[in-house]
Amino acid sequence: MDIPFTTKARPDTGLYNAKLGIWLFLASEVMLFGAFFSAYILLRVGADPGAWAHGLMNVPIGTFNTFVLILSSVTVVMAWAALKAHNYSLYRNCMVITIACALGFLVVKSFEYAEKFRHYEVWMKDGRRMTGHIDYEDGGVKKHAYLWSTKTLSKKKIESIAFTPDAPNEWATGQYYPPLTKEQLEHVKKHADSDTHHHEPIAIKSADIQRLSAFVPAHSTFFAIYFTMTALHGLHVLGGAIVLSFFLFRGHKMWKADPDRLTNRIEVGGLFWHFVDLVWIFLFPVMYIL
Amino acid sequence: MSLKAFHIIFVAVSVLLSLGLAAWGFHRFLTLGKSIHLLFGIGGLLAAAGLLVYGRYFLKKLKNISYL
């Protein structure tokens, strides 16, 4: 027995089965991401002064990834339009670009995550806070420290670390993250016109460190919600890429047997893909810019 | 709602994002004076213009496809 309305629209709803199904699914997704965005707003509004990790994201990389996803949405629509025009080879080419964009997004995101895992904030016992990188030597080879914490210092019995501080991060006029002490602020103002920051590593004794954390979820509320939301989004990108790859590699057989069915499936896949990209369009300014 | 209608909404939101990015870039450039922010301002405007042109082309090209 054939399942009705897999290609033709039901007369009462005006939709074929899969389109109704994907919109119900996307409604549940809106609720999922909506809950996370609401949580983000409440956490941010309720954050203590100086606790919200402002301006630590790499905006050029985020912007690049945003336009990669916008391009992928354009190509997935072109793939669907190509099938509507019975041009299978154009469909295939557009789909290849879409999947390449998805994988490119994930690769860039993984490099961005890795950079966060070797970027640190140190809270000193005298009240100073700095962000920067830690390098160490292992058998004469210089290495970056990944995912160290205060516990790592005591566990590995490290007496001091070579910490390369970042330049003060002015995320808005006169506002810095991490917050500067009075002396640090005066120093920054004094040297505002001359770039005297040489990024030289400084030795910090472990005994002077109150807390050390990489930019991981445990660092702060900001990074907890950042990793939760971007990882969830990344999983959606991966899922979408797998489904679209299936249509790319196994679509020809269906195209020969039932072209309308493949066209509808690409439309449904494209609707999901647009939703995933739309989530990023909101995530990017919220996490990187505002 | 068809993929065509969703794509138009997506392009419209992308235009708004690009304009927002441009506004952010120009504002940061005027307050902090770093040239990278000026690049963001100009790039955002160009992206918004490009997306608007694409949107018009898309509407013209797919005028026979339903919004449902």
Side-chain angles (χ1 to χ4, degrees):
Chain A
M1 190 185 85
D2 281 343
I3 301 170
F5 310 117
T6 53
T7 52
K8 297 282 174 269
R10 275 176 71 107
D12 49 356
T13 61
L15 303 169
Y16 55 88
N17 292 346
K19 198 189 269 188
L20 183 64
I22 193 72
W23 276 112
L24 287 173
F25 174 65
L26 291 183
S28 73
E29 291 279 83
V30 166
M31 287 185 259
L32 173 68
F33 279 101
F36 277 113
F37 276 106
S38 304
Y40 175 90
I41 292 166
L42 290 175
L43 289 170
R44 181 162 175 177
V45 169
D48 290 333
W52 199 253
H54 258 298
L56 297 176
M57 293 291 116
N58 190 328
V59 180
I61 296 270
T63 308
F64 172 78
N65 254 354
T66 303
F67 284 98
V68 165
L69 284 191
I70 291 175
L71 174 67
S72 75
S73 278
V74 170
T75 53
V76 84
V77 165
M78 285 170 70
W80 174 62
L83 287 185
K84 286 257 181 203
H86 301 283
N87 187 343
Y88 190 83
S89 64
L90 179 61
Y91 151 77
R92 212 176 39 205
N93 293 340
C94 290
M95 219 42 156
V96 166
I97 298 172
T98 307
I99 292 158
C101 286
L103 297 179
F105 175 88
L106 290 174
V107 168
V108 170
K109 200 80 205 130
S110 62
F111 276 106
E112 213 183 341
Y113 272 19
E115 215 292 312
K116 293 283 165 280
F117 296 158
R118 66 180 189 90
H119 204 164
Y120 293 87
E121 179 166 357
V122 61
W123 288 258
M124 307 290 286
K125 284 182 179 164
D126 64 7
R128 279 182 300 149
R129 287 164 64 178
M130 290 179 281
T131 56
H133 294 86
I134 301 171
D135 294 319
Y136 68 100
E137 283 203 12
D138 185 15
V141 183
K142 200 175 170 185
K143 288 184 175 174
H144 298 303
Y146 277 91
L147 298 168
W148 281 18
S149 67
T150 325
K151 273 184 188 167
T152 315
L153 301 179
S154 52
K155 220 178 193 178
K156 291 189 173 181
K157 292 178 181 145
I158 297 165
E159 286 180 2
S160 79
I161 54 169
F163 191 82
T164 310
D166 298 331
N169 167 36
E170 193 178 11
W171 59 268
T173 313
Q175 299 194 58
Y176 295 86
Y177 186 89
L180 302 181
T181 59
K182 221 173 174 184
E183 293 78 31
Q184 284 175 313
L185 198 60
E186 274 168 21
H187 180 82
V188 169
K189 280 180 184 167
K190 217 175 183 179
H191 298 93
D193 298 327
S194 56
D195 185 18
T196 53
H197 195 82
H198 298 298
H199 298 279
E200 291 289 334
I202 53 171
I204 300 177
K205 285 183 187 163
S206 297
D208 296 334
I209 295 172
Q210 188 182 37
R211 187 185 168 209
L212 174 75
S213 174
F215 292 168
V216 291
H219 172 275
S220 56
T221 314
F222 170 78
F223 278 109
I225 194 95
Y226 164 78
F227 279 108
T228 305
M229 291 181 79
T230 55
L232 182 66
H233 175 264
L235 282 177
H236 279 74
V237 172
L238 183 65
I242 291 170
V243 171
L244 294 180
S245 300
F246 176 80
F247 291 141
L248 172 67
F249 296 117
R250 304 292 296 271
H252 196 254
K253 204 173 158 189
M254 196 188 293
W255 177 248
K256 289 281 176 206
D258 192 349
D260 285 344
R261 198 166 182 189
L262 179 68
T263 309
N264 286 351
R265 285 190 174 194
I266 296 302
E267 183 179 18
V268 166
L271 284 169
F272 175 75
W273 194 250
H274 271 64
F275 173 78
V276 170
D277 294 352
L278 200 60
V279 168
W280 181 258
I281 295 277
F282 286 101
L283 261 182
F284 168 64
V286 163
M287 295 290 175
Y288 287 72
I289 291 176
L290 296 176
Chain B
M1 189 194 291
S2 73
L3 183 55
K4 177 187 173 181
F6 201 12
H7 190 63
I8 290 165
I9 292 169
F10 179 79
V11 172
V13 175
S14 300
V15 170
L16 290 178
L17 173 79
S18 302
L19 291 175
L21 193 65
W24 173 82
F26 286 128
H27 179 257
R28 294 273 294 193
F29 175 69
L30 291 174
T31 51
L32 300 176
K34 289 182 184 167
S35 53
I36 179 111
H37 296 129
L38 182 63
L39 272 178
F40 270 102
I42 296 167
L45 282 184
L46 288 176
L51 282 164
L52 280 172
V53 171
Y54 164 74
R56 268 181 69 98
Y57 165 80
F58 175 78
L59 278 175
K60 215 187 256 179
K61 186 101 176 163
L62 271 74
K63 64 179 172 200
N64 295 325
I65 294 177
S66 158
Y67 285 98
L68 258 180

